[in-house]
Amino acid sequence: MSAPPVGPRIAVVGAGPSGFYTAEALLRAGIPGLQVDLIERLPVPHGLVRYGVAPDHPKLKQVSAVFERIAAMPGMRFVGGVALGQDVTLDDLRRSYHAVVLATGAAQSRRLGIPGENLPGCHAAGDFVGWYNGHPDQRDCHFDLSAERAVVVGHGNVALDVARILTRPVDELRRTDIAAHALDALADSRVREVVVVGRRGPAQTHFSPKELHEFGTLAGCDALLDGSDWTARSFEPLPEADAEARAAIQLLRGFSTHAPAQPRRCVFRFHLAPAAISGHGRVQAMHFVRPPEAPAGGELTLDCGLVFASVGRRALPLPGVPYDAGRGVHANAHGRITEAGRPVAGLYVCGWAKRGPQGTIGSNRACGVQTAEAVLADLPLLRERHVSPTLAMQAACERAVDHSAWQRIDRAELARGTALGKPREKFVDVDAMRAAARLEATAC
């Protein structure tokens, strides 16, 4: 009897939500012999759910159970600890697979573009998020929490996460999966006021009502508005505002303008455009100008010792992948990578690297389905090309962390957390992850 035909091989690079959802949509197509390798540079999967969701929002992390079910689908394989550009090249992937899908996210923080932002004490919000979530890339970051006032620039949910972690009672954080090094630093924090600022008015923020609602109930913290930043008209919803936007506006309107009564406070300010950061050797003040549409004109200086910029993210450009610098994504049309407007055969993108950092975790499902449909439509032609794992790809797979090894890491982290009265204590060092995995070689 002749051997059964080898099915198509597809690589999805990045084991975050978009990578999992794209892999699921590909496998559900029912193509005989289809194999999807989910390639992740860290030994652990789940991406933004593991390292982006705030530790005091455990319900959002429950989607990890969905990813684990996808990981168990026939034809699915997790290839952890393999970094594109370090262990394998894009050329290795394209020679080893019929199609390559980039699910690499938006790893690069946008800068404020103002004088003084390189001073110590000015940070990208994403670095702070990675630090308190135990990401190996940020485990050695240092955040000086000795100042009484911190400024967070940005009117989105990441800005709210940063403000909330800085103001939430540390005893509440002890019951979360926050990284131990962050918990220790926050326990000694002297931050008493967080000012969340943005260029536009309260009707033009990107806060979700659920996230805002927490500030009205946060123990030991007042949610405040500064009366000089707005008028009653500032809270009038835009014509295109949906129900969530209108609810967020109402929540903001309900925050107090009275003197603070709690030991900590979060002050929401509007119509402040960042102009400069100043200080002798480190951040000591941030300077703003008010745009023409502001209720009051002039400049404003806020004394502070810490600044977090939460003004957006961009996909990191990759060698050999056309890039749309204006949008900060890999150049694409509905998931197909394009060069000069024409699709690059066999190369695709999904998630934030495709559409920018927008939407919820669940938004990645429809995005992944769209990209998978493009791959499946092109697959008859792509399968005509012979592919075979390159030597570099074979070597990478031999030392990779497979799904069973990840499960050993998972169990070890859960046990570490139980010993500390926490749901999980993550390994923040890649070598420690690999040691916990007790790796066995797996072949491609």
Side-chain angles (χ1 to χ4, degrees):
M1 295 179 63
S2 61
V6 177
R9 293 167 51 87
I10 300 174
V12 178
V13 184
S18 65
F20 272 101
Y21 287 135
T22 301
E24 177 189 35
L26 289 168
L27 291 167
R28 288 195 184 282
I31 296 175
L34 177 70
Q35 179 178 318
V36 176
D37 284 357
L38 191 61
I39 300 172
E40 166 60 47
R41 71 180 182 93
L42 294 176
V44 294
H46 303 170
L48 187 65
V49 172
R50 180 179 170 96
Y51 292 122
V53 173
D56 57 346
H57 284 172
K59 287 186 178 180
L60 293 179
K61 298 174 185 281
Q62 291 175 358
V63 70
S64 296
V66 175
F67 301 155
E68 288 301 288
R69 288 196 292 271
I70 296 171
M73 293 178 69
M76 178 76 161
R77 181 168 58 171
F78 175 61
V79 184
V82 175
L84 175 60
Q86 180 177 329
D87 299 304
V88 295
T89 66
L90 181 63
D91 185 59
D92 284 317
L93 293 179
R94 299 190 69 186
R95 289 165 58 193
S96 303
Y97 297 91
H98 293 99
V100 176
V101 182
L102 301 174
T104 47
Q108 188 176 57
S109 296
R110 292 182 183 268
R111 294 174 61 82
L112 292 169
I114 59 175
E117 70 175 318
N118 292 323
L119 282 170
C122 181
H123 306 277
D127 288 342
F128 188 62
V129 172
W131 174 77
Y132 65 61
N133 273 320
H135 197 295
D137 290 354
Q138 282 84 36
R139 68 189 180 104
D140 293 326
C141 288
H142 174 70
F143 300 93
D144 186 346
L145 305 178
S146 62
E148 290 199 358
R149 177 186 284 158
V151 173
V152 182
V153 183
H155 275 170
N157 286 337
V158 173
L160 293 184
D161 286 345
V162 171
R164 197 180 59 257
I165 294 297
L166 288 170
T167 54
R168 185 179 287 282
V170 73
D171 284 342
E172 294 183 10
L173 293 174
R174 293 186 196 281
R175 301 191 292 269
T176 73
D177 69 349
I178 191 170
H181 58 246
L183 188 62
D184 291 343
L186 289 164
D188 294 331
S189 172
R190 296 180 60 193
V191 175
R192 294 295 176 266
E193 178 177 288
V194 179
V195 185
V196 181
V197 304
R199 296 172 179 268
R200 305 176 78 180
Q204 298 161 305
T205 66
H206 296 284
F207 301 138
S208 71
K210 184 176 180 180
E211 298 265 354
L212 275 178
H213 177 74
E214 288 187 76
F215 282 90
T217 60
L218 202 58
C221 180
D222 285 312
L224 303 170
L225 298 178
D226 189 296
S228 65
D229 296 334
W230 49 271
T231 65
R233 291 188 61 187
S234 303
F235 288 96
E236 293 179 2
L238 300 176
E240 64 272 20
D242 59 15
E244 281 221 339
R246 291 173 184 271
I249 293 168
Q250 286 301 109
L251 285 165
L252 281 171
R253 189 197 293 269
F255 290 160
S256 176
T257 57
H258 299 147
Q262 301 296 328
R264 291 187 174 90
R265 53 195 173 273
C266 182
V267 185
F268 293 87
R269 303 205 60 170
F270 310 98
H271 298 296
L272 295 176
I277 298 170
S278 63
H280 299 289
R282 62 162 295 106
V283 171
Q284 292 178 315
M286 189 162 187
H287 310 274
F288 302 88
V289 295
R290 299 181 190 271
E293 65 269 21
E299 301 176 354
L300 176 72
T301 294
L302 289 176
D303 293 334
C304 60
L306 198 56
V307 173
F308 294 101
S310 181
V311 292
R313 301 181 69 81
R314 300 166 61 88
L316 277 172
L318 297 173
V321 181
Y323 191 70
D324 183 339
R327 296 177 56 214
V329 299
H330 300 311
N332 75 94
H334 309 297
R336 291 181 175 90
I337 295 288
T338 59
E339 187 166 28
R342 303 183 66 177
V344 178
L347 196 54
Y348 304 84
V349 64
C350 63
W352 282 5
K354 168 186 172 182
R355 68 184 194 277
Q358 53 185 276
T360 64
I361 291 170
S363 303
N364 289 290
R365 184 183 288 276
C367 177
V369 168
Q370 183 190 56
T371 295
E373 288 174 346
V375 176
L376 294 168
D378 298 343
L379 206 50
L381 284 177
L382 296 174
R383 291 185 68 173
E384 293 179 2
R385 184 172 62 90
H386 174 74
V387 299
S388 180
T390 65
L391 291 176
M393 195 70 230
Q394 292 180 56
C397 286
E398 287 171 0
R399 61 176 181 272
V401 174
D402 64 12
H403 188 252
S404 61
W406 145 243
Q407 289 179 318
R408 291 193 287 273
I409 298 172
D410 184 41
R411 289 192 293 269
E413 290 185 340
L414 293 173
R416 279 158 49 95
T418 298
L420 296 170
K422 302 172 64 176
R424 176 186 299 272
E425 184 64 46
K426 297 173 191 167
F427 294 106
V428 299
D429 179 82
V430 168
D431 290 339
M433 294 175 186
R434 286 187 173 275
R438 297 189 300 273
L439 286 179
E440 297 176 359
T442 57
C444 271

